[in-house]
Structure formats: structure tokens, C-alpha cells
Amino acid sequence: MTALYLVLPLALLVASCAVAAFVWTVRSGQLDDVDTPPRRILFDDDAQPVHREPSNVQALRR
Amino acid sequence: MSAVAVPACVHCGLPVPAGRGEFCCTGCEIVHAAIAEHGLEKFYALREQGAPAHTSGHSYAELDDPAFQRVHVQTGADGRCHSALYLEDLRCTACVWLVETTPRCVPGVSEVRVDVGRGRADVTWDPEVTSLAQVARHLDRIGHAAHPYRGLDRDRQRRREDRALLIKLGVAGAAVGNLMLLAIALYAGLFQGMSAADATFFRWASMLVAVPGLGYAATPMFRTALGALRARRLHLDLPLSIGIVAGLVWGTANVIRGVGEIYFDSLAMLVFLLLVARWIVLRHQRRASSAAELLLALTPSRARRVRGDVIEDVPIDAIVADDLVEVRAGETIPVDGMVAHGKSAIDAGLLTGESRPVDVLAGDLVNAGTVNLAAPITIRATAVGEQTRVGALVASIEALSTRKAPIERLVDRIAGRFVAIVTTVAALTFIGWSFVDVRLGAEHAMALLIVTCPCALALATPLAVTVALGRAARKGILIKGADALERLAAPGTMFVDKTGTLTEGRLAVASWLGDVDARPLAAAVEVGSAHPIARALAAMGTTHTATDIHEELGRGIRGTVVGRTVVVGSPAWVAAKARHDADGWVAEIVRRAETPIAVAVDGVIVAVAGLADPIRADARQAVDQLGELGWRVEILSGDDTRVAEAVGAQLGLPVDRCTGDVPPEIKLAIVEAEAGPVAMVGDGVNDAAAIAAATCGIAVSGAAEVAIEAADVYLREPSIAAIAQTASGARLTLATIRRSLRLSLAYNLTAGALAVSGVIHPLIAALLMPASSLTVLVSSLRSKAFK
């Protein structure tokens, strides 16, 4: 069981590193907006800008 | 007229009024054109629910003003500019996508990043290629009118609070995981035997994780409990804090002494779940932007000042009392004042809720925010900005919103009794067991305090509310927070605005007395005019076209249709041009509380039309349903009393419950004077103050942005039936909360009984707590609210 006296503190150290990483994530503002990113997953990386003259718009009316 | 299937608007899917082509309104038409122009049809694929679009057509010139830019625009090192805008109507995924495609549509824009919860768009652009005003104009064209984002300070503070809570949540989560692992080791040791040294090692490790971790993570609870104690108010965080502190202190003592049980794992689970509940409730709070920010949207930011012969275009802040201001036809009046020169008709809908034009002459008073319809007028300003009626209203809305008293929640009332009972029983347990052994007495008493910590109680409300809010949102009922539901659960007096809420908010031809063949003739003559009365008449439909049209603004219109002279207008004006023996008809129309419009063909009045705002089809049923739920429904309208009473009669409301001619200040006073719970339903700026003051304010679809911000509930569907559903949903949610409370109290009773009889063990506690929380979760999911 002596291994435990080494392993347990090590495990707690790893856990504190994880907490530190989480704190950094929060402080850098990545979790400020959790409403918009879920919606963004539906977007594709879309194509080039399209510019149609307003007169051509008529053709698109269904 | 033949019955035709009502066409649906190409953009939003709502029915198109006759004579309007393919779109239900100008807003939809503009937005559709903008979408097509930029090749953004994917918007329709992404969208879940159609909603009418609103555009404002502003030029946004003030956004390029150097004075504005100094305050609101930041320039980065690479020369690009950043600014934040508040966008209206930003509520769905498709809207987010549409707004974020702006860089593709407006050259020079590098990025537009949306925060949908706050309605905020952060824009980055190259000042050499484009300008903020141009971006704002594009955003307006796609249906999201922009305003300067004035909530940066408030956002910064909220962000600090949100981040602090999230960090504590993370710490608590890490603590739970590790403490549970350590606890499992100890539980395994129970059954299989563990050396004292190892057990001590694990106990110390648990203590070293729990005390700093939970002591830090639970500080929000401690702070609320102390605050409640100082204010002598009851709050559920009080028994929670007692349990947590007792657990940490007693556990530490036991670890140091080397004997006794520790409950760190259950405590950690408790703290973690409580913080999750807090986080959920925090997320419910919709963006509450300052209503004062929207004052800029209601009144123009620039005005034309007349000085002698010179007319100069100045920012609104440059206008002072006694300045002369010129307002052209179609423009919004920027100041309160008296008409110095000119005569016209005003749309005072902002303050009365009615779009029926009101004539004004020199010497009449006009208000900022109303629209000048007919002809240019010059106004001598008496009040500008926040001193105008509209400004004062908006300021009072903001004051009311921040002052809104937090309701005493159901759980808080229980908290008081809970503390009393638990501490008494703990004391008795201590005394009782002390007869056997003082140490046992202390042990059992402390165990009681710890295991009866009301975790599930604290979860009951947030879980039930989350379920309710989610379901309601899917039905188009946007509820602003947990409070709103509890506010709506106890029935009282419900004041309902008439126009737009009970009625459809537009004029339509309700009666036609006289020659029916004259209808298409009248419609033909009115087709070109933008006047609300003209639009109502044109909606009757016609195959003729009129020629030689002359419109006398505010009075009527005349033209030639199939060779006949047709004159349509107010009876007095038409009577001057034609033979009249239509007094009987006019009197009948007025008796029906409708607006009379006379139609003369070839010099003879052949018909009189009655125009009114039609009542929504489901209004009667909704009013009855609300009555059944215990609400006393009353009509409070800015329109004529006779019209309010007529509408009330059709809905089964007695005359003493229908009040008309109520200006917004009086609406507010009536709401404030009412004792007991008050709900206010409205959609206009003139309702917003009353909405803010009510116990529960409800804004109906199509509402002005100010009304939406002031309200606790926003109904996206244009249906008053949704109000009845919301009220019933609130009542059912409270029933669910009560059921959850009963279940959780049952667990507490079990745990308490075990503790008192000395049979409790950390392992049992570790099983009971998640079980109780799970039970509450299942109970919440089985809620019947908004099903």
C-alpha cells in the first residue's frame, strides 16, 4: 500500500491541474456565451459572396 | 366577393391581407429582397418558425458621427474598427446565421459575431472600405434593426459574476469526483477490512480536498444566507449553509480525532448540485437591456432646426426649448411641442395605441415619437429627450423594472419552518443520546444536521421551472425567468390592452351600409394611398383601376373609375361634394362604434362604410378560460371608451370592466393602484410602463421592443389564447414544484429518522441524496405544464 502514498497525492495534483485549466478557460472568456455556439454547429462553411442585382431578384420569387 | 384561399406571405408564412401581393407587410418584402439579393436563401432552410420581419428604414447616420465614434468604437492595431450593436428580433438560429453572413454581403466587414442571449453583435470592419452606418443599414434590411450597444458596463459586471459562479461550479465538480473515489475506498474498507493507517490516510486526503474546495465553492450560499439573516428574511440557503458548515466542521474534527464518521462525499454532491441549480436559474435570466437604451429607437436622433430662413440638420441634443423644428410628412416627430405653422394629421399610436390619424392645427400640442402623416409642420419645442412624455415613460419603465420586488418564493417559506424543526430535533437527539454517551449524542445530532440538508428542496424549483420554460419556448411563449411563473400562478386582476392584443391591430371594413356595387369602386380609388383607412378599403379587393386620383390628406380621396367620379372620405368632407341623405347610415355606423367613411359616386352618396379593428378569433375563448383560472379580466385601452365597451361586450365583459381613453400615465397609475396580483397584457409603447409595474407583465407578438424588455413574458404567437395557456402553465408548474417538495421532504424524513435512531451511515447518506435528487428530476419531467 505504500505505493498509495505516492499515487494519491499525484492524482490530486493532476486533478488540480485540470481545475487550473478550467479556471483559465473561464477567465479567457470562452464560456461567456454558451447559447450561440450550439446554434453555430448547424452552419456550414459556405461559398463565395453572391451579389445579385435587385432586378434579378424577381426570378427567385417562388 | 368570392372566397379564395388566403395566400401566405412568401417570407414569414402568415396570411397576406387582400390587395397586398405576396407579402404580409413591407418589412417582410424588404427582408426577402435583401436575402435574395445576397444569395442567402439558406435562411429559410435553417428557420424553424416563420415570423414577420420588421425593418425601420433608418439611415443610421449618427453611427458615423465622430462624437459617437469616440465613445463607442475601438480601433485595433491593424486599423480595423470594432463596435458592439444591439440587434432587435435576434432570437433564432437562422437569424444568427443571417447576421453572421454580413461579411459576405458588405465588403469591408471582417467579422460579425453574435451573442444571441444578449442580442449583441460585435462588428469588426475596415474604416477605409465601409462604415458602421452601412453595416447597420444592411442589418436593418435583413430584419434586425440596430442600436448602439449601451450595456457594456452592465455586461462586464454580469460577466464577472457569471465567471465566478462557473469557476466555483468547476471546483465543486472536481471535488465531488475525487471525494467520491476516496469515499469508495473507505466503503470498500468497511466490508473487506482496511488498516487503520490507510483509513486515516484516506480520511485526511478527503478532508484536505473537501474543506478548501467546498469552503470556497459554497461561498455563494453562505453569502445569501448571511444576507437573509441580516434582512430577517427567510431563504432556503440558510438551512443549506448550516448543513454544509456543520458537515465540514464536524468532519474535520472527526478526522483530527481519528474517530467518528465523515460525510464529505455527500456534502460535495450537495454543493455541486446546488451550484448547478444556481447556474440554471442564472441562465434563465434573459437579456434585460435598459429600456432607456431604446429611447433612441423611438425618437429620431436628428432634427431639422429652423432659424430664420435657414434650416439646418442637427443632432437632437442640440435642440432646446423654444427652438423651431420642421417635420416633413412621413417623419417621426422628434420633440414635444406646439404646432407653430402648418396643419396635418398625426399618428399618435405610440402614446394611445391607436393608429387612427388625429388632425392637428397651429396651436395644438404634439408629442415626440408620434408620426406626422399628411403635410409638413413646424413645431416650437417644449421638451426634448428625457423630458418628453415618451422619455419620461421610458425612464419610469427602467425604474420600475429595477425596483421589481423579488417575490417570496414557495421554498423560502418552507425554509424557515425547516430550520426550526431540524435544529429542535437535533437538540433533542443530542440530549436524548447523551444519556447513553455524550459522544454518541454529538455524533447523531451532527449526522442529523448533515443528512437532512435539503438538497432536493433546492433543486425542486429550478428543475420544474427549466422544464416549463423549455416547453413554453417551443410553443412560442418566452418566459423571462423562474420568478415570472410564480408571479402568474396566483390569480388576480388582468388588465388587457385592446388594440393589437384583443383585436388584430389594423383597421378593416366591418360594415357596409348602402350600395354593395360601390365597394370595388371605392377600393380602386384607395389602392394607391398609404393611409391606414385607405389600406383597409383597398383590402376589399377590386379589378378596376382608378385614374385622375386626388388625395386630400386627412380628409379623403377622389378619382375616376370606369368613367364615374368616385369620392371617398370622411362624411363631412364628402357631403360638401355630393348630395347627402346618408345621415341615418352614419348614425348607425357610429352607434356600432365604428369609424364612418362615406362613398359618393357621380355626386351622390351611395354607401357608408364602417371601419373597425376586428377582434381576434380566439379572444372570447381565451377570456373565458382566464376567468375559469380565477383571473378577473379588464380592458384598459387608449382608444375611445365606446369602442372599448363594444369590444368588451363581444367578449362577455361588463361595461364596468372596460375603460377607454386611458393615456399611458393613467394606465400605469391604475396598475399601481390595484391591490393583489396584477397582470398587464399589452403590445405598445403606451403599455410598457404599466407592463413594468405589474406583478407580471406580458407583451404580445408584434410588441414594441420597449414593451418586450419591460415584460416578464413575451408571446411570439399573435394569439391571446397563449395568455390563457401561460397562466394555466404557471399554475401547473407550481403544482409540480409542490409535488417535488413533498417527495424531497419524504426523503429528508427518512434520513432524519435514521439519523435520530443512530442507524445512519455515510454510505446510506451517499445513496439517499442522489436518489432524492433523481426523484425530483423525474417529478419535474412529468410536469403537465405546457404539454
Side-chain angles (χ1 to χ4, degrees):
Chain A
M1 267 309 210
T2 41
L4 196 62
Y5 295 121
L6 175 67
V7 169
L8 196 80
L10 262 178
L12 291 179
L13 190 67
V14 171
S16 3
C17 288
V19 172
F22 180 72
V23 171
W24 172 83
T25 309
V26 172
R27 287 234 176 97
S28 67
Q30 295 177 39
L31 294 174
D32 281 345
D33 178 9
V34 291
D35 296 308
T36 323
R39 299 179 194 264
R40 281 213 191 88
I41 59 175
L42 294 175
F43 305 164
D44 305 317
D45 279 334
D46 274 315
Q48 283 67 47
V50 177
H51 270 283
R52 292 203 190 87
E53 294 309 306
S55 54
N56 291 346
V57 162
Q58 294 282 357
L60 288 158
R61 296 233 185 124
R62 286 174 267 289
Chain B
M1 264 201 315
S2 56
V4 172
V6 182
C9 174
V10 173
H11 178 77
C12 66
L14 289 181
V16 178
R20 284 226 59 141
E22 297 182 293
F23 298 99
C24 66
C25 58
T26 342
C28 285
E29 190 169 356
I30 293 176
V31 173
H32 181 88
I35 288 175
E37 190 183 313
H38 293 290
L40 300 170
E41 288 84 6
K42 189 174 160 181
F43 172 77
Y44 296 107
L46 279 171
R47 197 172 56 174
E48 286 153 20
Q49 211 182 10
H54 302 284
T55 60
S56 69
H58 284 156
S59 67
Y60 293 105
E62 63 269 17
L63 295 182
D64 288 339
D65 197 277
F68 174 86
Q69 303 242 320
R70 260 197 301 273
V71 181
H72 288 100
V73 177
Q74 297 84 44
T75 312
D78 52 1
R80 289 194 296 202
C81 295
H82 313 266
S83 188
L85 292 173
Y86 171 78
L87 299 183
E88 292 183 20
D89 276 347
L90 200 55
R91 286 171 238 277
C92 72
T93 309
C95 304
V96 174
W97 179 81
L98 194 60
V99 170
E100 292 196 343
T101 58
T102 304
R104 282 171 30 186
C105 308
V106 180
V109 177
S110 359
E111 192 189 22
V112 177
R113 198 158 177 88
V114 170
D115 181 336
V116 74
R118 296 188 183 88
R120 174 178 161 161
D122 288 283
V123 187
T124 310
W125 75 95
D126 182 352
E128 316 232 331
V129 183
T130 186
S131 74
L132 189 58
Q134 213 167 331
V135 178
R137 280 195 292 271
H138 169 81
L139 291 170
D140 187 80
R141 272 193 76 216
I142 54 176
H144 299 286
H147 308 277
Y149 194 80
R150 283 161 196 266
L152 288 172
D153 287 329
R154 185 194 59 234
D155 269 11
R156 218 167 294 147
Q157 195 202 345
R158 287 243 185 99
R159 204 179 317 160
R160 261 200 308 262
E161 293 166 9
D162 290 355
R163 286 183 187 175
L165 181 61
L166 204 48
I167 290 177
K168 295 190 175 72
L169 189 61
V171 169
V176 173
N178 288 290
L179 284 169
M180 281 205 278
L181 288 174
L182 291 169
I184 288 176
L186 285 167
Y187 298 148
L190 277 178
F191 300 116
Q192 297 184 325
M194 186 188 275
S195 77
D198 290 332
T200 315
F201 179 60
F202 283 123
R203 284 162 68 100
W204 276 91
S206 298
M207 185 193 87
L208 289 171
V209 170
V211 172
L214 298 181
Y216 167 68
T219 41
M221 264 78 82
F222 300 150
R223 229 177 295 142
T224 321
L226 282 174
L229 269 177
R230 249 177 277 145
R232 289 182 210 293
R233 245 192 16 234
L234 297 170
H235 200 285
L236 191 62
D237 281 357
L238 192 56
L240 289 170
S241 303
I242 292 176
I244 295 170
V245 170
L248 289 175
V249 167
W250 187 245
T252 311
N254 281 357
V255 168
I256 295 176
R257 287 188 314 158
V259 291
E261 302 299 347
I262 54 170
Y263 291 87
F264 291 132
D265 56 329
S266 299
L267 276 178
M269 165 85 74
L270 169 79
V271 172
F272 179 67
L273 289 176
L274 290 175
L275 287 174
V276 167
R278 259 177 195 254
W279 175 242
I280 290 176
V281 169
L282 201 69
R283 289 273 311 276
H284 285 152
Q285 281 159 8
R286 306 240 139 222
R287 64 174 182 267
S289 68
S290 154
E293 291 163 0
L294 299 167
L295 178 56
L296 278 174
L298 298 173
T299 54
S301 50
R302 301 189 78 83
R304 266 190 303 281
R305 182 171 56 195
V306 181
R307 282 233 170 112
D309 285 329
V310 179
I311 299 183
E312 42 175 358
D313 187 40
V314 297
I316 193 75
D317 303 314
I319 308 278
V320 293
D322 270 355
D323 274 351
L324 280 173
V325 173
E326 181 203 50
V327 182
R328 299 192 193 136
E331 289 185 343
T332 308
I333 296 175
V335 297
D336 277 2
M338 185 167 73
V339 179
H341 179 77
K343 68 175 189 178
S344 177
I346 306 281
D347 174 354
L350 195 81
L351 291 167
T352 63
E354 288 307 304
S355 292
R356 211 167 300 146
V358 174
D359 296 328
V360 290
L361 306 166
D364 287 338
L365 294 172
V366 291
N367 291 111
T370 57
V371 182
N372 180 18
L373 290 173
I377 50 175
T378 317
I379 302 171
R380 189 169 295 280
T382 53
V384 185
E386 291 182 4
Q387 277 77 46
T388 58
R389 254 182 95 189
V390 150
L393 268 174
V394 170
S396 72
I397 291 168
E398 164 147 43
L400 287 164
S401 301
T402 47
R403 229 179 45 209
K404 204 152 197 170
I407 52 154
E408 193 191 49
R409 304 179 305 165
L410 186 57
V411 287
D412 292 336
R413 270 176 267 154
I414 297 179
R417 269 177 276 161
F418 198 87
V419 175
I421 295 176
V422 169
T423 37
T424 318
V425 175
L428 289 173
T429 311
F430 177 66
I431 296 170
W433 278 94
S434 296
F435 288 125
V436 179
D437 184 351
V438 179
R439 275 177 309 196
L440 274 181
E443 184 78 32
H444 294 317
M446 289 310 259
L448 177 73
L449 280 178
I450 298 168
V451 300
T452 54
C453 207
C455 171
L457 229 66
L459 288 177
T461 312
L463 285 177
V465 166
T466 307
V467 169
L469 258 53
R471 286 194 196 149
R474 255 167 272 152
K475 292 191 172 226
I477 301 171
L478 303 177
I479 303 176
K480 263 201 197 156
D483 280 8
L485 279 181
E486 289 206 40
R487 285 170 198 278
L488 213 45
T493 317
M494 185 176 287
F495 292 109
V496 185
D497 173 53
K498 179 189 69 68
T499 311
T501 313
L502 292 171
T503 64
E504 306 208 1
R506 55 182 178 83
L507 284 175
V509 176
S511 318
W512 188 273
L513 300 175
D515 189 359
V516 182
D517 294 328
R519 291 178 81 141
L521 299 178
V525 154
E526 299 279 11
V527 154
S529 170
H531 200 278
I533 290 180
R535 283 219 291 270
L537 287 164
M540 289 189 298
T542 181
T543 49
H544 306 299
T545 28
T547 53
D548 208 20
I549 297 178
H550 294 279
E551 182 169 358
E552 193 173 313
L553 297 160
R555 296 267 168 269
I557 199 167
R558 80 168 179 275
T560 313
V561 185
V562 293
R564 308 165 77 178
T565 316
V566 179
V567 182
V568 181
S570 67
W573 181 76
V574 174
K577 301 180 182 352
R579 265 190 11 238
H580 55 109
D581 47 10
D583 292 341
W585 286 337
V586 174
E588 169 63 18
I589 296 288
V590 169
R591 194 193 62 81
R592 294 184 192 179
E594 296 166 359
T595 306
I597 296 292
V599 179
V601 177
D602 290 334
V604 178
I605 296 184
V606 295
V608 175
L611 267 60
D613 192 355
I615 298 186
R616 289 192 197 265
D618 49 11
R620 175 80 203 237
Q621 196 185 10
V623 170
D624 290 338
Q625 200 180 345
L626 283 166
E628 279 166 40
L629 285 168
W631 287 95
R632 201 178 108 223
V633 180
E634 288 195 23
I635 296 182
L636 209 59
S637 174
D639 195 12
D640 194 78
T641 310
R642 283 171 307 167
V643 181
E645 287 172 0
V647 170
Q650 288 196 268
L651 295 173
L653 295 170
V655 169
D656 65 337
R657 294 213 249 164
C658 306
T659 322
D661 292 315
V662 187
E665 293 83 0
I666 304 292
K667 276 196 193 188
L668 173 61
I670 292 179
V671 166
E672 286 188 314
E674 189 79 15
V678 179
M680 172 74 198
V681 184
D683 72 330
V685 175
N686 64 324
D687 301 317
I691 286 177
T695 316
C696 183
I698 304 175
V700 185
S701 163
E705 199 73 11
V706 182
I708 298 178
E709 292 302 336
D712 297 294
V713 180
Y714 172 54
L715 303 175
R716 243 211 302 235
E717 257 182 49
S719 146
I720 181 176
I723 299 177
Q725 190 178 28
T726 311
S728 122
R731 167 115 32 117
L732 289 168
T733 306
L734 238 70
T736 307
I737 294 176
R738 275 193 213 104
R739 181 177 66 210
S740 301
L741 291 179
R742 282 196 294 270
L743 288 168
S744 62
L745 282 173
Y747 274 100
N748 272 21
L749 213 65
T750 317
L754 290 174
V756 167
S757 49
V759 182
I760 196 78
H761 187 275
L763 185 55
I764 303 180
L767 292 171
L768 275 180
M769 172 157 332
S772 70
S773 308
L774 250 151
T775 313
V776 167
L777 177 64
V778 171
S779 161
S780 305
L781 288 171
R782 288 181 56 93
S783 165
K784 293 200 188 67
F786 298 106
K787 259 237 158 83

